[in-house]
Amino acid sequence: MNPVGVVLTHTREGFSFVTKHSFASGEFVYYRLGGDRVLARVRHTEPLRDYPVEFLLDPEVDAGDVAVFYGLDASDYQFYRAHARVVGYFDRIVNEFINPRVMPLSGTRIERVDDTILSDVNRVSASEVGSAHIGTILGTKTDAVLSVREMVSQHLSIIAATGAGKSYTVGVIVEELISAKNMASVLIFDPHGEYGVLSDIQNDHSFWEEEYRPRVRIVKPEQIKIRVGDLTPGDFISIMDEGNMSEKMKTLFMRAYESLKKDEKRLTRSFTKNELRETIEGLSDGTNEPSIAGLLWRYDRMVREKIFDDYRSIPLREYFQPGLLTIMDVSGIGEWKQQWIATILLRQLFDAREGTDNERYSEERRPERYLPHPVFVILEEAHRFAPQTGDAKSRQILKKILSEGRKFGIGVCMVSQRPSKLDADALSQCMTQVTMRIINPSDQKQIGESIESVSRDLLDELSALARGQAITSGVAINTPIIVEIRERRTTQIRGTSKDAPRVWREQMQDERSETIETRPSYELDVGV
Amino acid sequence: MVDDDAVFGEVVRVDGVNAYVVRAVFGSSRESGVGEFVGVESAEGVVVSVVTGVERLIPEDVVSMLSFEMESKYLPYSADLGTSYYLVFGLGLLYRECVRYGLRVAPQVRSRVWRLEDDVIRKFHLSFGSVSISYFNRYREALGDDVLLAIVDELWRVLPEAQTMLVPVRKYLRGGGVL
């Protein structure tokens, strides 16, 4: 028994206890109820007693010394009143925390949790298959472990302000997913080209186990292609139309597309850019030349973009394999093109997994669409692909995957620094949440509305979280916890802030060394 | 032990372990004020006390109206209308170079009472290794803030090294002293 406090009183919301220990918000304690040990989370603390304000007015004079001088017991001022919320006792039959709905009475001893009790917050242990050891529970050495099964099947959100450790945390989770205990099939959609350093994984022996060697594939921007045959007529029109495309042009395009698709049914391959162009030209009947010309001008402008290709597309089976991390580096590609790449990728992925599960695709029939294993897609800057307001082609398919992907084994991790700009429905579909420091009030509000599993008092901690600390909640863990994210095994991701003063100085010194120094003429002794 | 010249009165009534009435010696050279430290002779040592009030006039006609029990209580006042009667409160004991805050035994009636020298007052407040007025908290209710403020004034002079800590205490008492 290791009592650290005694219950003072309780309310409907929780109880308060007197302690000398300075608990941080989010730390755990427990009390005994019958044979059960009931876990409780400290919400906040306040001093049990304050010194008289007059004792505090002169910073040169120690208030404790004045108190002793006056006859007060200074140790009485060392106590806290800690407010705690009951989590419950862990029931090993139902494998979850049960709230006893009985609050502890005044005088009940409060004890510090040990590793055996705290480990109940994890659904899985750190070493077992299907686990992701992301760090330690705040203020303890107890591992914080997510259930990969739940996290991958019911989606994950990683939300953090810039500099709070978002990319770092993604890296930690990827390390866990790609390790031998999971051998996951993961793709990172990387708008800033910052995850390339994760290629260290394949050469890092700590990831190797027996025959297992994780692989990392980095897809460079120039390698990413969208096959025109994979676009729907709506996609074409959406890309071509800048607000001045007439209805007649749209109708003509639809006719050309449908006509080519009918032909394509007789073909074993999808159509090319030229085939579609020729089909549009073929619609000319002497009365519609201006519309055909306008349509062709827009079509040509679109297909001139190097990203659109006749044959090459997103090779799903090359990108998604167990034990393979694919990093799609889309940096340097315009935002609307990134949205199109994401749209095509997710659309094809959904089709492949749905078709494979429903036995439409197999090794023999459409093998390029046959994807017989679950996949996990990490979307950095997710607010670009499912924005709360404004248009984004990818939003529809992303929301479809978030709501239906579970059935077909498609997990999505949405990473964002601006949750208020992220579609609220999409965010609420992520049933595991890793939420780091967020200062912006509208972002905090969005999180509060989208994440039901986290209590208000824990969310109040969002702005106070230190770098590398995260509120972790949802289905992959038994109760929300604050986690100190563990150290990465691989190199630091480039997303860290630049040391601008150092870079400036280095640059300046480099330039000086390359410059021939001259002095003003009046300083020169020309010896005349 | 005590110079007869320094004696300014004697205990004429004991109202409890801490509270006494002292009749001043007729023709005492100086008036004593509230907050002044006095010593009271006792079997254990010197009871370090503080003056908390003074009474000078008890009309005789009032005495005649009192009940027998009450008359005995007020009798000392009626004996000599020209005499000052001081209310004194015992804070602690000074004995054999030792100091004890708080009292368990009251002094006897007729015990001599004298003004304490500054060095004795210092000794009483410095005996625990550092300067202390811890009896303030203990007897605050009994003494009242005005008396405590008067003691602060007295200590300001006698214990200059304690002034930095007397400042917040004084402010605290003036502000009503809410803990």
Side-chain angles (χ1 to χ4, degrees):
Chain A
M1 196 166 185
N2 179 21
V4 288
V6 178
V7 171
L8 186 67
T9 186
H10 71 251
T11 63
R12 283 166 66 183
E13 283 74 38
F15 63 90
S16 57
F17 63 96
V18 176
T19 179
K20 256 194 162 174
H21 187 84
S22 55
F23 285 100
S25 298
E27 278 193 67
F28 289 98
V29 292
Y30 77 93
Y31 62 91
R32 292 170 195 269
L33 182 70
D36 294 317
R37 295 190 291 187
V38 182
L39 198 65
R41 182 187 296 107
V42 174
R43 296 163 60 195
H44 67 277
T45 59
E46 57 189 346
L48 187 65
R49 280 187 191 167
D50 294 333
Y51 284 121
V53 69
E54 292 84 356
F55 289 13
L56 308 168
L57 298 179
D58 184 354
E60 298 290 325
V61 182
D62 185 273
D65 289 348
V66 180
V68 172
F69 170 67
Y70 179 78
L72 299 172
D73 186 347
S75 66
D76 289 349
Y77 295 83
Q78 308 303 314
F79 286 91
Y80 296 89
R81 182 198 302 252
H83 299 268
R85 189 184 290 272
V86 173
V87 173
Y89 60 88
F90 194 73
D91 188 321
R92 299 205 180 278
I93 296 168
V94 295
N95 218 29
E96 63 181 49
F97 282 98
I98 307 290
N99 191 321
R101 304 199 179 283
V102 177
M103 290 289 179
L105 287 171
S106 185
T108 304
R109 282 183 180 178
I110 296 299
E111 297 176 51
R112 178 178 276 290
V113 286
D114 56 31
D115 201 48
T116 55
I117 303 170
L118 263 189
S119 59
D120 287 338
V121 306
N122 299 319
R123 280 184 181 270
V124 285
S125 70
S127 56
E128 74 182 85
V129 170
S131 66
H133 169 225
I134 60 167
T136 51
I137 297 171
L138 180 70
T140 74
K141 289 182 175 151
T142 306
D143 291 333
V145 187
L146 299 179
S147 161
V148 171
R149 183 179 154 179
E150 311 299 336
M151 179 177 81
V152 166
S153 64
Q154 298 186 59
H155 315 300
L156 169 70
S157 66
I158 298 177
I159 305 292
T162 303
K166 176 168 47 80
S167 308
Y168 192 94
T169 305
V170 171
V172 167
I173 288 175
V174 168
E175 284 179 355
E176 291 295 313
L177 290 173
I178 211 73
S179 68
K181 61 187 175 185
N182 291 307
M183 302 184 187
S185 171
V186 183
L187 180 141
I188 303 178
F189 201 81
D190 182 10
H192 300 302
E194 61 186 325
Y195 287 97
V197 292
L198 287 174
S199 60
D200 290 357
I201 287 175
Q202 60 189 353
N203 300 320
D204 189 332
H205 291 221
S206 68
F207 287 92
W208 296 7
E209 197 171 301
E210 295 175 2
E211 296 299 304
Y212 178 69
R213 304 279 184 278
R215 289 165 301 137
V216 179
R217 179 191 183 118
I218 298 177
V219 184
K220 290 288 173 195
E222 58 274 15
Q223 296 172 299
I224 299 169
K225 299 293 174 195
I226 296 174
R227 186 165 54 196
V228 284
D230 291 336
L231 296 171
T232 66
D235 294 342
F236 277 104
I237 291 170
S238 176
I239 297 168
M240 288 189 289
D241 186 12
E242 289 184 339
N244 55 1
M245 195 172 170
S246 67
E247 286 305 308
K248 195 169 181 181
M249 285 185 214
K250 290 177 188 171
T251 310
L252 283 167
F253 182 80
M254 291 295 282
R255 275 175 57 198
Y257 184 90
E258 293 300 329
S259 144
L260 196 61
K261 270 287 177 186
K262 278 178 194 162
D263 279 353
E264 198 202 353
K265 280 192 176 170
R266 293 194 294 273
L267 301 170
T268 52
R269 58 168 179 80
S270 66
F271 59 80
T272 63
K273 291 187 264 188
N274 263 339
E275 285 168 346
L276 182 54
R277 192 178 198 288
E278 285 165 9
T279 312
I280 296 169
E281 282 176 323
L283 294 175
S284 176
D285 60 5
T287 62
N288 58 6
E289 269 67 23
S291 297
I292 293 288
L295 177 57
L296 284 174
W297 182 81
R298 285 170 176 78
Y299 179 76
D300 289 342
R301 190 186 54 186
M302 172 190 156
V303 297
R304 265 201 302 273
E305 297 283 354
K306 286 180 183 166
I307 198 168
F308 296 111
D309 196 272
D310 285 335
Y311 306 107
R312 286 182 293 172
S313 185
I314 296 167
L316 288 183
R317 290 196 64 179
E318 288 178 27
Y319 287 5
F320 291 99
Q321 290 170 22
L324 172 67
L325 167 64
T326 300
I327 300 163
M328 274 186 94
D329 179 356
V330 291
S331 59
I333 298 179
E335 201 168 316
W336 72 267
K337 284 186 208 164
Q338 287 184 9
Q339 284 182 9
W340 278 109
I341 296 166
T343 307
I344 302 298
L345 169 75
L346 295 174
R347 192 191 287 163
Q348 290 189 1
L349 192 57
F350 187 82
D351 177 64
R353 285 295 301 142
E354 187 262 342
T356 302
D357 263 19
N358 292 329
E359 299 180 353
R360 277 191 289 116
Y361 305 137
S362 65
E363 287 286 14
E364 293 75 33
R365 197 169 42 189
R366 303 291 300 272
E368 79 281 5
R369 293 287 174 100
Y370 178 62
L371 207 55
H373 52 76
V375 297
F376 193 60
V377 178
I378 298 171
L379 270 181
E380 257 284 2
E381 305 288 4
H383 52 273
R384 292 186 188 174
F385 306 102
Q388 174 77 332
T389 56
D391 191 34
K393 193 69 188 169
S394 45
R395 176 166 42 200
Q396 200 180 348
I397 182 62
L398 185 53
K399 288 176 79 169
K400 186 176 183 182
I401 287 178
L402 288 167
S403 59
E404 299 176 34
R406 180 183 182 181
K407 286 181 283 189
F408 305 114
I410 307 174
V412 173
C413 169
M414 297 211 297
V415 185
S416 178
Q417 57 195 13
R418 292 310 309 272
S420 61
K421 292 187 174 178
L422 187 57
D423 185 277
D425 283 346
L427 186 57
S428 63
Q429 293 284 346
C430 296
M431 303 310 285
T432 300
Q433 305 91 20
V434 175
T435 314
M436 308 181 84
R437 187 178 64 226
I438 286 284
I439 296 161
N440 187 300
S442 59
D443 288 335
Q444 290 183 354
K445 185 167 174 274
Q446 177 81 321
I447 291 169
E449 288 169 0
S450 307
I451 302 176
E452 294 166 3
S453 61
V454 181
S455 59
R456 188 66 252 170
D457 48 88
L458 209 49
L459 287 175
D460 286 343
E461 291 299 309
L462 277 175
S463 57
L465 291 174
R467 184 181 166 83
Q469 292 180 344
I471 296 172
T472 306
S473 53
V475 295
I477 200 152
N478 282 325
T479 189
I481 51 173
I482 298 179
V483 177
E484 299 264 13
I485 300 295
R486 69 161 172 79
E487 261 188 50
R488 283 262 308 281
R489 287 153 73 182
T490 48
T491 320
Q492 171 64 293
I493 284 170
R494 272 201 294 119
T496 51
S497 306
K498 294 265 183 290
D499 181 358
R502 185 182 58 78
V503 176
W504 287 331
R505 287 175 62 82
E506 284 174 3
Q507 182 82 24
M508 196 71 186
Q509 280 160 1
D510 286 351
E511 283 173 15
R512 270 192 198 145
S513 66
E514 288 168 11
T515 308
I516 299 167
E517 283 195 25
T518 57
R519 292 164 65 192
S521 58
Y522 60 81
E523 285 186 15
L524 296 175
D525 178 7
V526 293
V528 179
Chain B
M1 182 180 160
V2 180
D3 185 353
D4 283 343
D5 291 344
V7 172
F8 88 104
E10 63 178 14
V11 174
V12 290
R13 204 178 73 220
V14 174
D15 287 338
V17 174
N18 298 99
Y20 332 119
V21 177
V22 173
R23 183 175 59 207
V25 172
F26 183 73
S28 178
S29 58
R30 182 171 72 84
E31 291 288 340
S32 285
V34 170
E36 255 186 61
F37 287 96
V38 294
V40 180
E41 192 178 49
S42 87
E44 288 187 277
V46 178
V47 176
V48 176
S49 309
V50 67
V51 176
T52 62
V54 61
E55 298 277 356
R56 287 231 171 82
L57 182 65
I58 304 294
E60 282 184 306
D61 51 344
V62 174
V63 174
S64 63
M65 294 164 70
L66 297 174
S67 65
F68 177 74
E69 293 80 19
M70 294 304 284
E71 189 180 316
S72 62
K73 183 177 177 184
Y74 285 95
L75 199 58
Y77 301 106
S78 62
D80 183 354
L81 297 182
T83 304
S84 292
Y85 293 86
Y86 290 98
L87 306 177
V88 167
F89 191 93
L91 302 171
L93 200 63
L94 198 59
Y95 65 105
R96 288 191 226 110
E97 302 299 311
C98 294
V99 169
R100 189 176 75 211
Y101 286 174
L103 296 167
R104 282 182 289 184
V105 179
Q108 299 292 324
V109 171
R110 302 274 182 210
S111 296
R112 292 186 298 170
V113 179
W114 65 96
R115 291 190 186 86
L116 288 177
E117 299 290 335
D118 288 354
D119 61 332
V120 179
I121 299 170
R122 287 180 60 80
K123 192 172 171 184
F124 185 69
H125 290 91
L126 286 164
S127 61
F128 300 107
S130 59
V131 65
S132 175
I133 55 168
S134 64
Y135 56 85
F136 266 51
N137 189 45
R138 183 173 183 168
Y139 295 128
R140 182 168 166 210
E141 203 174 320
L143 291 172
D145 288 350
D146 288 341
V147 173
L148 290 177
L149 282 166
I151 298 174
V152 168
D153 290 342
E154 194 71 8
L155 293 176
W156 189 268
R157 181 184 59 78
V158 181
L159 290 166
E161 67 269 45
Q163 286 177 358
T164 52
M165 291 203 278
L166 286 170
V167 170
V169 170
R170 181 184 272 156
K171 280 186 182 164
Y172 169 61
L173 295 170
R174 282 181 181 160
V178 180
L179 272 175

